[in-house]
Every structure is written in structure tokens, then in C-alpha cells.
Amino acid sequence: MTQTADAAMGRTLGRIRAAACREFALRVLRGIGQVTFLPRALTGLLFASALFAAGWEYGLYGIGGAAVGTVVAALLGVDKERLAVGMEGFNSCLVGVSCAVFLNPDRLSSVLVALLGCTAATVATAAVGRALAAWELPALTLPFCLVASVVTLAAPGFARVWTGGGGIAAFPRAVSGARTGIGFDDAVRGFFAGFGQIFLMPQWYAGALVLAGLLVAGPRVAGVACLGNVAGMVTAWALGEPAAQLADGTSAYNAVLVALALCGVFLKATPRTAAYAVAGAVAATVCAPAFGALAKPVGGHMFTWPFALTTLVFLVAARSFPRLTASA
């Protein structure tokens, strides 16, 4: 009887552990999906696939970052609902990816910096969330921007951390006299790359997987994202942005995030908010070079600063426009 009871207890504990591991994996994947406001495990899985398609190290750092952020938040007693929907994983996911992109992902020092950065992102998420809560505004990716900016500013001061080079997503700066025309093939490649650049990945096939993750959430979500992408690309082209930046997606990824935020996430999706989202996408695209110039000392890495700040400005402004918020 004792052996039977012990065996039954063992099976029960095994099922509990399996369920806990499964729930943790779902939380991590939802955290990756939350980069585009989508707490869906399948979306997160496709986003993770996009990172692995670009390189195994980016996938590992991205998943690892989301996992670290989730664990640290749980240990600090963050609300279980936030943990369940992945709200504590997306900023740390992006911090992890940025460490793989801008540092040497094969070095132990980069792993340690990523661990510290993802932990700091959890603290920054709480701090920024608390500060903006007074105005009922979301933290968005501000914690990621803050931590990633500090890392890229500080890294050159540490010989065992900095390798002296940028990664695959080192944002090119506008060059006087650079070619501004763009062919059809480059335009298509740039369209898909715009989705990949949300995760700092310039490969068109990585962007295609990110778009697939958005499609999982429904045609409306994917349509809004595509609308923002096109608005960003057209604006950048019309203003004469170099062809290289149009082709590698750096001209549109902030516009994609702004459009998603303003049409369907923080404002109800309507024709009016769709037009407002396009205006926000255009504004973020116009402002992006300014952030690149400000970040010039660290290679022009603007991260998602244009998205975060533009979205906050447009959300505050929307409160003065009843036709945008009346049905929200």
C-alpha cells in the first residue's frame, strides 16, 4: 500500500511539474507576443521562429530574455495576471535580443550583461509603469529603450564587454548624396523587413514570420500593421530617405508599432482611429532621424524611442478628440 501511495504521489507531482512548466512556457511565448500587444502563445512562437531564422543566438537571447523577465517579476511578487498574459516578458525579450545584436553573443560577458539588463528591465518596467500610471498611460517599450540605451552607451567603457562593432541591426544614418530611389524588389524586401526590425532583425524572411504572427491574431491586426508599414515607407521615400534604409526596414518598424497601438489596442479600431494611426505612423517616421541623430555617439541606435514617445503624445492628445474616444 505504501509503495502504491508513493507511486501515485510521484505521478501527481509529475503532472503538477509538467503543468507548471507548460504554463511557464506559455507565459514566455505570450511575453514575446506582447512586443506587438498580442498575448498569444502561437504569435510568440512565430516571433521566436523569426529570431531563430535570423540566427540561433538571437532566438536564444530573445527567449532567454523573456524567461528571465518573467522569473524575476514572479520572484518580486508582480501581479499574477500580468505574468499570465506576458506583460513582464516583452521588454526583457527585446533587451536580450539587443545584447545579442550589439554585443558579441558568443561571449560570456554578453550573457552576463543580458542577464543584468533583463533584470533591470523588470525594475524599469515597474518604475515607468508607476510613473505613467498617474496619467493613465502605458509604459510601452520605454523600459527596453532605457536599458538598451544605457547598455550601448556603457559597453564601450568595458574592454571585456565591447568588441568595437555593431550587429546586424546597426542602423545606418542618412548620407548626403545617397541613392533615394528604390526598385520594386527592394520595396517588397523593405516591406517585410519592416516587421523584422521590430525585433532588430533586418532579414525579409524574419519579417515574414513576424507578419505571420500578426496574421494569427486576425486580419484586422495584420491589416493595421501593414497600413502603418506602408505609411512609414511612403513617408520616408517621399522625404528622400536613402534607399538602403528603405530596403532594410529601418524606415517603417516604428510606424508599424504606432499604428497597432493607436488602432485597436489603446483606441478602439474605427475608420477615424485608423486615420489617426496613419497620422501617428507618419509622425514617428518623420521624428525617427532626430532620435538617430541624438543617438549618434552610440552608432545611431534609436531602438523604439520614436514609437514609444510618439504613441504617448498621440494618446494624450486623443483625450481632447471626442470623436476618437467616444466609442473607446
Side-chain angles (χ1 to χ4, degrees):
M1 290 295 291
T2 301
Q3 291 180 344
T4 301
D6 289 343
M9 179 63 72
R11 288 192 295 271
T12 301
L13 292 175
R15 286 193 292 269
I16 292 173
R17 284 193 293 268
C21 290
R22 183 166 56 252
E23 177 58 26
F24 178 71
L26 289 173
R27 289 181 177 185
V28 170
L29 291 176
R30 289 175 192 140
I32 299 174
Q34 283 282 13
V35 171
T36 58
F37 314 104
L38 299 172
R40 294 171 177 263
L42 181 54
T43 294
L45 181 61
L46 286 166
F47 289 175
S49 299
L51 291 171
F52 277 107
W56 64 267
E57 60 271 44
Y58 307 118
L60 288 182
Y61 273 75
I63 291 177
V68 170
T70 302
V71 168
V72 171
L75 292 175
L76 292 175
V78 171
D79 181 70
K80 291 182 179 179
E81 181 60 26
R82 285 184 59 86
L83 294 171
V85 298
M87 290 297 290
E88 295 296 328
F90 71 96
N91 276 294
S92 56
C93 168
L94 291 173
V95 169
V97 173
S98 68
C99 289
V101 169
F102 298 111
L103 306 178
N104 186 336
D106 297 327
R107 299 179 68 170
L108 177 60
S109 60
S110 299
V111 176
L112 295 176
V113 169
L115 288 172
L116 290 173
C118 292
T119 301
T122 301
V123 177
T125 297
V128 174
R130 174 79 60 177
L132 293 180
W135 292 278
E136 298 181 348
L137 291 170
L140 303 174
T141 56
L142 282 175
F144 154 62
C145 292
L146 289 168
V147 174
S149 296
V150 168
V151 169
T152 52
L153 278 167
F158 301 98
R160 292 177 180 170
V161 173
W162 186 244
T163 59
I168 61 172
F171 303 131
R173 294 183 293 279
V175 179
S176 178
R179 183 172 65 90
T180 57
I182 184 170
F184 177 77
D185 290 345
D186 285 340
V188 172
R189 189 181 303 111
F191 173 78
F192 286 109
F195 295 106
Q197 285 283 11
I198 293 172
F199 289 90
L200 308 178
M201 301 292 111
Q203 299 90 343
W204 69 267
Y205 47 86
L209 286 169
V210 173
L211 179 56
L214 293 167
L215 280 167
V216 166
R220 183 196 61 77
V221 172
V224 169
C226 290
L227 184 65
N229 196 336
V230 171
M233 288 191 69
V234 170
T235 300
W237 170 80
L239 294 176
E241 187 159 292
Q245 288 173 252
L246 291 168
D248 71 6
T250 56
S251 62
Y253 73 98
N254 279 290
V256 172
L257 292 171
V258 170
L260 288 170
L262 297 179
C263 184
V265 177
F266 300 108
L267 298 175
K268 187 176 180 179
T270 67
R272 286 193 178 98
T273 57
Y276 194 64
V278 169
V282 170
T285 304
V286 173
C287 292
F291 289 95
L294 290 172
K296 186 176 180 179
V298 290
H301 309 313
M302 59 187 170
F303 302 114
T304 54
W305 282 109
F307 148 65
L309 297 182
T310 300
T311 299
L312 290 176
V313 169
F314 271 68
L315 287 177
V316 171
R319 296 171 182 175
S320 297
F321 308 137
R323 291 181 178 178
L324 292 176
T325 58
S327 58

